[in-house]
């Protein structure tokens, strides 16, 4: 049974060039019979023709760029006893302002033959007028080689002629282990739907046009680019002109994903870790692969109670050590990444608990506090007063005020020693003040009649 995938190959001439030199992009379109199968609301072939036509249309009026079109599988239908492995043809050669000719040809093509990928690649090497340009091949197909030739062997021959094959494979429902067959070409990606395919084709065309690629390494404390899954904001340097907003990603081999950026711009990159890290005034080298290293080592903070409790709806205020500004308000039992370092934390229990904690690279620091207990206050008449935690022999730290609108108060308190100072609200003399000391224990309820 024929495997189903989309493959995009991009071949680059292995020499430097000036801005005045040409970029030539040859699109190779699979018109084999399997392309007639449904993909979403339309066939794969209709989808491929539509998306390819959009890509061709987007290349109009771009200086120093020429495009051509080769098609295979469209001239002779497959029969039960015969497959035409020579069915590949340069339909529209390179030339200036030939975009409409390519669009017209795409409209007339019907999918009906087989899949001679290797022979198409081999003949494509002769489609380029000369080597004084960046020569690009983008192949769009839904299948693997159906003839006897070996695309990997052909790819090696093309490299010997100065065209390097570096594929982008977009798999549709493809067993990921099968993708290893394409290692001799280069990279591969998966596409869930036509929208994803369109995005990848656009990205490949952008790479062909700009050829200035970037990977942003978010490095651990040991300088390894393993930090990821965080937002990155790219500004024109020295301004608030936001050029790009990305979620950092590691690819299938756990390396930072490749971006295509405009090398004429200097960038400031703000990485939205906690706290954010920034790198300013970044210059890109044109027409090569750039690596930007940003130190962003992270570890995890988590807060929990020592004992199970139903009163776990507690927030924790996180601050950089020695700074009063709130960095984050974190929920109990929900882990959160932070840049490696020390932090002051205020646990918003009653009473507040304060700690200084450390965040270490790629590890979780779990901060535990005792589960709270319950204080129930009941009075015959409305009382006014306050609850204090007994911190020392003669030191009382305010915890909260009593609610003067009810005769029943309920408080969720951390374990400790407390004192309540109060009087009946209607009694207007200070000498009617009373006080009581009490202890709170984890997961225990205490009722006091005032």
């Amino acid at each position: 049974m024929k495997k189903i995938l989309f493959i995009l190959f991009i071949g680059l001439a292995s020499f430097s060039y000036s801005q005045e030199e040409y970029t030539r992009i040859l699109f190779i379109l699979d018109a084999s019979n399997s392309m007639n199968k449904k993909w979403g609301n339309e066939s794969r072939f209709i989808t491929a023709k539509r998306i390819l036509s959009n890509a061709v249309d987007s290349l109009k009026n771009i200086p120093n760029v020429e495009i051509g079109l080769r098609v295979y599988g469209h001239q002779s239908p497959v029969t039960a006893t015969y497959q035409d492995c020579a069915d590949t043809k340069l339909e529209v050669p390179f030339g200036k302002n030939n975009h409409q000719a390519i669009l017209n040809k795409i409209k007339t093509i019907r999918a009906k033959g087989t899949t001679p990928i290797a022979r198409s690649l081999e003949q494509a090497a002769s489609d380029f007028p000369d080597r004084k340009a960046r020569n690009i091949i983008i192949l769009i197909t839904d299948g693997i080689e159906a003839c006897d030739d070996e695309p990997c062997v052909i790819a090696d021959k093309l490299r010997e002629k100065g065209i390097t094959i570096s594929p982008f494979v977009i798999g549709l429902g493809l067993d990921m282990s099968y993708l290893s067959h394409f290692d001799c070409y280069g990279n591969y990606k998966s596409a869930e739907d036509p929208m994803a395919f369109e995005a990848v084709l656009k990205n490949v065309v952008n790479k062909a046009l700009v050829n200035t690629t970037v990977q942003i390494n978010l490095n651990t404390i040991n300088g390894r680019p393993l930090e990821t899954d965080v937002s990155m904001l790219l500004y024109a340097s020295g301004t608030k002109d936001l050029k790009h907003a990305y979620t950092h990603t590691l690819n299938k081999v756990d390396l930072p994903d490749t971006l295509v950026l405009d090398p004429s711009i200097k960038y400031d990159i703000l990485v939205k870790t906690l706290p954010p890290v920034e790198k300013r005034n970044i210059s890109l080298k044109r027409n090569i692969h750039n690596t930007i290293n940003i130190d962003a080592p992270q570890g995890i903070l988590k807060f929990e109670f020592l004992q199970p409790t139903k009163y776990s709806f507690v927030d924790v205020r996180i601050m950089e050590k020695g700074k009063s500004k709130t960095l984050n308000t974190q929920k109990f039992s929900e882990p959160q990444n932070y840049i490696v370092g020390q932090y002051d934390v205020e646990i918003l229990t009653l009473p507040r608990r304060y700690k200084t904690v450390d965040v270490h690279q790629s590890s979780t620091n779990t901060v535990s506090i005792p589960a709270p207990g319950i204080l129930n206050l009941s009075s015959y008449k409305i009382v006014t007063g306050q609850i204090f935690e007994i911190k020392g022999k003669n030191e009382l730290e305010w915890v909260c005020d009593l609610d003067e609108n009810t005769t029943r108060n309920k408080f969720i308190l951390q374990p400790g020693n407390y004192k309540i100072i109060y009087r009946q609200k209607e009694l207007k003399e200070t000498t009617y003040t009373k006080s009581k000391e009490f202890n709170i224990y984890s997961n225990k309820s205490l009722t006091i009649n005032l």
Side-chain angles (χ1 to χ4, degrees), residues 261-274:
L261 297 180
D262 184 351
S264 67
I265 301 173
K266 286 188 176 182
Y267 295 93
D268 293 337
I269 300 180
L270 180 63
V271 184
K272 299 297 272 186
T273 49
L274 289 175

Side-chain angles (χ1 to χ4, degrees), residues 311-370:
Y311 300 105
S312 59
F313 41 86
V314 176
D315 292 334
V316 182
R317 189 167 76 98
I318 312 294
M319 298 154 286
E320 293 180 76
K321 183 172 173 57
K323 298 183 180 180
S324 59
K325 182 179 179 180
T326 299
L327 178 63
N328 184 37
T329 302
Q330 182 174 338
K331 299 291 184 183
F332 248 58
S333 303
E334 295 183 7
Q336 177 64 55
N337 284 13
Y338 295 91
I339 293 293
V340 168
Q342 282 195 320
Y343 296 86
D344 293 328
V345 301
E346 179 184 10
I347 304 173
L348 303 181
T349 51
L350 278 181
R352 303 291 190 255
R353 294 294 185 240
Y354 299 89
K355 295 179 179 290
T356 297
V357 298
D358 293 301
V359 172
H360 301 285
Q361 176 68 62
S362 303
S363 64
T364 300
N365 182 0
T366 300
V367 180
S368 301
I369 65 170

Side-chain angles (χ1 to χ4, degrees), residues 187 207 211-219 223-228 232 234 246-251 253-261 267 269 271 279 282-285 288-295:
N187 303 312
K207 288 183 179 181
N211 199 32
T212 299
T213 56
V214 178
Q215 75 178 55
I216 301 175
N217 292 349
L218 302 183
N219 292 330
R224 302 178 65 192
L226 302 179
E227 304 291 356
T228 191
M232 301 183 297
L234 279 65
Y246 296 116
T247 298
H248 189 276
T249 308
L250 297 181
N251 61 25
V253 292
D254 291 330
L255 291 175
D257 197 25
T258 297
L259 304 173
V260 178
L261 297 180
Y267 295 93
I269 300 180
V271 184
K279 190 161 188 174
I282 300 167
S283 297
L284 302 180
K285 294 183 179 179
I288 68 169
H289 184 67
N290 294 257
T291 299
I292 300 171
N293 288 295
I294 300 177
D295 292 330

Side-chain angles (χ1 to χ4, degrees), residues 192-209:
E192 298 292 334
D193 50 40
M195 184 180 297
F197 171 64
E198 185 170 19
V200 171
L201 179 55
K202 181 178 179 181
N203 183 262
V204 171
V205 170
N206 285 339
K207 288 183 179 181
L209 295 177

